[in-house]
Each structure stands twice: as structure tokens, then as C-alpha cells.
Amino acid sequence: MELTIPHYYQRFQCTASACPDTCCAGWEIVIDDKTLKKYRKTRGAFGKRLRSGVDWKKKTFRQKKRRCVFLNKEHLCDLCLEGGSGYFCRTCRLYPRHIEEFEDCREISLSLSCMAAAEIILGTDEKVRFLHREIPVKHEEDYREFDYFLFTNLLDVREVLFEILQNRSLDAGTRSCMALSLAHDFQGRIRGRRLGETQDLLTRYRTRGADRRFRKNMEQYREGEKMETAVKIFRMLEKMEILQEDWPEEVRMARHILYGKGESAYRSIKREWKQNCLENHVNPEILREQMMVYYTYTYFAGAVYDTRAYDKMKLAAALTFLTDELTAARWENSGRPMALETYIWTAHRLSKEIEHSDPNLIYLEKLLAPVGLTEFFNLLL
């Protein structure tokens, strides 16, 4: 089996009690059956505490004030302290690693919802590279219904998406729009059962001068109305399942700050935020690139299971855009100079709210479906 990881994957190290937003609070932690069986068999006082700390019906750890009952006052895990890391459930053992399984292929990423991982992903100007190696597997999964031809086409398209998103001769907005356009055109090949035309499509996007022509075509969208589409996408956050208690108030405040005084004020806030970023050595162009690459890597190939490649790209663009919006609102509200830590914190918060709820991910894709390509062009440029 081929294993794929981003080049920064091995840099991750949990900061444990020093973490500013522990992963052991704010959401329910699901326990796998193998670990539950181990907890049932553990004897003594430790075993008794283990069993009392589990909601056996939900198969989750119990919580006290939205914190795992095993998270102590020093923000350390009593399970690990008393029994060792062998008592971690699969969720705790793997997090913040995110795994996507395909036939003969496994892709692992780090999740932005973890602050230590977010600092690695967003704290560098280095372009992301993806490393591949063969690994042995003990048990082969049954992928009887797996569409390998679609999958290889998805990987080919994703490779070109990465090339586009990391082409720093273009501004980040144009790159995002060009990537969306490619995904839109590829979706037409999927829908029309014309995957044999994929390589011709990719050649068209790779042809010398294609990026310059696309940038020229995008000029007509730069001065269009942005706030109406921005509000439409931003309001989607208000329809999501709530994982963090203070999240609804943060969203409500951001919406009021950004859109409460009309289009002119909104443009002014965004313009001043970008300027303040540059003045304080925070590069919003690089940050958007890293976000788009992160979400594209994490979700695009998953279209092999539902054929919705374009929707996956819209999800990446929307979450990247929303991170910008929430960061700009947080900066405006604070009255302080823009800092990279503010962007990283916001990206982490949004990821924690969306990426760790399957209903939220599915619902957001569904809500984004009616948003047209040209609406995204107006929004992102």
C-alpha cells in the first residue's frame, strides 16, 4: 500500500498541558470497541474509575463542564498518567492525524483543529510537498465497489490543482478561482462520463500562458459586489451543529462587525486588515495558499466515493474564505496590530467546529451547492 503524507507531518509534537485549547474538551470523544473491551477487563481501582468514566450507551468518555472526566487540573490525561499511553482509545491515539483510506492507498494529514498542528501548517512560507512510500498491510480491505479509474483521474486533477494553488506568480485570489474553475470543468467530465477527456483538460490548464489568460479574464470580477455573497456563505455557519459553546457568539459578533454597516464599510475593513497584515509581516497570500492546499489535500480525493469533486473544491474555497473573514473581524474587534497567531487561532477554531462534525461537513457541502462559480469569482478576488 502507498502511504502519502505532507512533508511537515513528522514535525508534529503534542504540547500537552501547554496547549492553549486542549483537544480533551469541547466535544465528545468516541471510544472504539477494542478499547472498550480493554476497559471492561481492567481490574482494581483504576479499572473501576475507567468504567465509571465511560458513557457505555454512547461509547464516549463522560464529560464534566464539557471536559473529559480524565482531563485533570494540569490539563493532562489521568488515563495516560496512571495506565500509560496504551490506555488511549483510537481517537486519542491518532488525533490530530486525519486518515483517508483508498484502494492500495492511504493518505494522512494533520488537522488544523489542533493548535500545534495549525502552527506547523500555517507558520511557514514553505510550499507543501507530499511524500510517498510503500508500507505493508496486515489485512486487505474489500474495495469491491471502488472506482479506480475515477480515483486516478482525481489524483491527476489534484496534482494540477496543487500546481495552480502554489503558483506564486499569480495572486492568491486568482489561483483560488482558477482551481475552482478546473474542478468545475472536471465535474462536467464526471457527470458526462467523459473521464477519458481529463488529460486534455489538464493540458489546457497547464499550457504556457494559461495562467496569464485566466488572470486577465478575472479582472471583470474584481470590482463586483462582494458582500451579498459573503453574507450568504457566512450565514451558513449559523446553521451548523454547535461544538464549542462560545462559537455562536463569535460568529454573531463577526457578522455584525463585517457586514453591519454595508458594502463600503465591509470593503474598508478587509482592505485595512490586509494592509495591517503586511505591515506586521503576516502574508495573507501565503496563508490562503496553505489553507487551500490543506483542504484540497484532505478532501478532494474523497470524491471517489460520491463523485462530487467540484463540491469538495467549493468547500476548500469557502472554509479558506471564512477563515479570512473571521480573522479580519477578530482583528477589527481587538484594535490591535495583526499577528500571525490571530490567524492560526481562527483557522483552528473554524476547523474544530466544521471538520470534527460529519453532519457539519455534509451540510456545508449541501448549502454550498447552489453557489455559482461566478459568485465565487466575485467573492475571492
Side-chain angles (χ1 to χ4, degrees), residues 38 60 63 88 114 159 197 219 238 275 277 281 333 351:
K38 182 175 183 175
T60 61
Q63 292 188 324
F88 280 149
C114 167
E159 182 179 345
E197 299 176 11
E219 292 305 317
E238 299 171 349
Q275 182 60 36
C277 282
H281 311 291
N333 188 54
S351 170

Side-chain angles (χ1 to χ4, degrees), residues 112 291-300 316 319-320 351 355:
L112 275 173
M291 291 283 289
M292 287 291 291
V293 169
Y294 165 81
Y295 282 117
T296 302
Y297 172 63
T298 304
Y299 297 111
F300 188 77
L319 289 172
T320 300
S351 170
E355 290 197 89

